[in-house]
Amino acid sequence: VYIAYHKPVGITCTTERKVKGNIIDAIKFPQRIFPIGRLDKPSEGLILLTSDGDIVNKILRAENAHDKVYRVNVDKPISPRFISRMAKGVPILNTVTKPCQVKAVGQRSFEIVLTQGLNRQIRRMCEYLGYEVTRLVRKRIMHINLKGLSAGQWRHLTEQELSELNAAVAGSSKVAPE
């Protein structure tokens, strides 16, 4: 089973049923599935869920460099300097984020393409630069996007998406390099 889900704000990406507002209860899928990665509770957007344990780490491992696209709104106008600093990498969580693509799409909004998935990465990067995220939406994971899904809706991946996904992770390792 491979599902694309438009996670609304307020849903927690956990399979622990005792957690109120967990993603499993939200989707109500009859089979055992689990999320590939996470999106924090105040964020919304695309998350993939599956019953295929092997594919999870292949997609998640940062060195496999599978891109994720986010649309981010912040609390004040963004400057070219902000965009440049976000793109070059920002010190958070005892490391510096990998360089990434960032482009302004509005006075207080930007798109960012990440291959890394550090905990609350975009929020922490913005915070470091003096900005607060007011809305964060993951629009795409690799070639799979939110098209046609409203918040709270899910769909099965298409045959084409699935074959592209399998091709994309074919060379990916599910374990860290030694």
Side-chain angles (χ1 to χ4, degrees):
V1 178
Y2 300 91
I3 288 174
Y5 174 53
H6 186 154
K7 184 191 96 57
V9 169
I11 297 297
T12 303
C13 289
T14 182
T15 56
E16 290 186 39
R17 305 298 281 272
K18 65 180 183 278
V19 175
K20 191 175 177 324
N22 72 72
I23 195 167
I24 301 304
D25 287 345
I27 292 179
K28 296 177 179 64
F29 195 77
Q31 220 173 315
R32 185 170 186 258
I33 56 173
F34 38 91
I36 301 175
R38 303 176 63 98
L39 254 182
D40 60 8
K41 195 172 180 175
S43 299
E44 70 173 279
L46 180 63
I47 187 149
L48 303 177
L49 293 98
T50 185
S51 58
D52 175 1
D54 279 348
I55 205 164
V56 175
N57 288 329
K58 288 181 176 183
I59 292 173
L60 294 182
R61 297 215 62 82
E63 58 272 14
N64 293 331
H66 301 303
D67 61 341
K68 297 176 264 331
V69 178
Y70 301 82
R71 172 73 177 262
V72 186
N73 295 2
V74 290
D75 61 339
K76 56 190 179 191
I78 54 178
S79 64
R81 184 170 184 264
F82 169 82
I83 295 295
S84 163
R85 290 187 67 194
M86 286 287 284
K88 284 183 182 133
V90 175
I92 61 167
L93 300 172
N94 302 317
T95 188
V96 176
T97 58
K98 288 182 174 179
C100 58
Q101 297 169 20
V102 184
K103 72 173 186 198
V105 290
Q107 193 182 13
R108 295 172 185 233
S109 59
F110 63 94
E111 271 193 5
I112 183 167
V113 181
L114 297 181
T115 56
Q116 218 172 358
L118 299 175
N119 182 271
R120 298 174 63 88
Q121 180 171 347
I122 296 167
R123 291 177 190 280
R124 290 176 198 270
M125 290 169 75
C126 289
E127 200 175 287
Y128 179 83
L129 297 172
Y131 288 75
E132 188 183 328
V133 171
T134 56
R135 185 167 188 229
L136 193 155
V137 181
R138 181 159 56 201
K139 297 172 57 172
R140 183 169 63 76
I141 298 171
M142 299 158 68
H143 60 283
I144 301 162
N145 63 39
L146 279 175
K147 258 191 202 86
L149 288 178
S150 300
Q153 291 184 316
W154 63 268
R155 64 173 175 79
H156 290 280
L157 296 190
T158 65
E159 286 297 319
Q160 169 132 13
E161 285 171 330
L162 212 42
S163 71
E164 280 184 49
L165 182 63
N166 284 317
V169 300
S172 295
S173 168
K174 59 183 178 181
V175 294
E178 305 246 338

